[in-house]
Amino acid sequence: MSICTCPVGTSLPSVPNSTCPSDFGQVQKIIFQRVFKSGTTKNQFTSVAAITKLASWTPLMSANDGTKAVITPYVEAPTSDGGDAITYGGGNDTVGGVTKTIGRNPVTMTFSLRQVTQDVIKALKSLMCETLGVYLVNGDGQIMAIKGSASGAYMPIPIDNLFVGDLKLMGLESPDENALSFAFKPNWSDDAEIVTPEFNPLTDLANA
């Protein structure tokens, strides 16, 4: 696998002790932002203090440059699949018939946008042409972002293949809906971190 080094180190790599459970819960809104604000300069918050303050986010929602961020309406029915192993062999192809793990697949997340007006959907469709990252917001108003290598830096999680579907007319027994999906690159969560802001992004952030 590409993540493996050769030769290996003199001992097993250190593994931290688990002291607290970690569970992000249900994703309820998604904040989109370009990965790069200009050229090769990435969008990022420079400290945990910055990402947790409403005053840091408000200018991004009304920006007219590469720093602009937009937030979705509430999303429902979140699902996550993929991230499973890419394997090769088995049977007579490999020694002892043991399959080899040679990589991992991307993770696809899907959502439903229910009873959302189609002008909002049309605007979200225009994001499909962008090189984007996302901040995920859970039901407690916590934000999941990528912790950068620079001390205290937080960045959007890069995504691929954003798709926003056409209206599905569901009839009498279910609300109308549009599909929304995107893919996280393999190993996307290695540097993911949950931050608890001083405000509630679910209710305090709105598009300009």
Side-chain angles (χ1 to χ4, degrees), residues 56-70:
S56 300
W57 285 91
T58 301
L60 303 180
M61 310 307 292
S62 58
N64 56 9
D65 58 15
T67 66
K68 184 177 179 65
V70 295

Side-chain angles (χ1 to χ4, degrees), residues 82-106:
D84 55 339
I86 300 173
T87 59
Y88 167 79
N92 200 46
D93 275 346
T94 48
V95 175
V98 178
T99 58
K100 297 179 182 292
T101 298
I102 58 175
R104 70 181 70 244
N105 285 305

Side-chain angles (χ1 to χ4, degrees), residues 8 15 20-21 41 86 95 107-109 112 125 133 156 163-165 177:
V8 297
V15 176
C20 298
T41 303
I86 300 173
V95 175
V107 173
T108 298
M109 293 205 69
S112 292
K125 286 179 178 179
F163 174 74
V164 182
E177 63 181 46

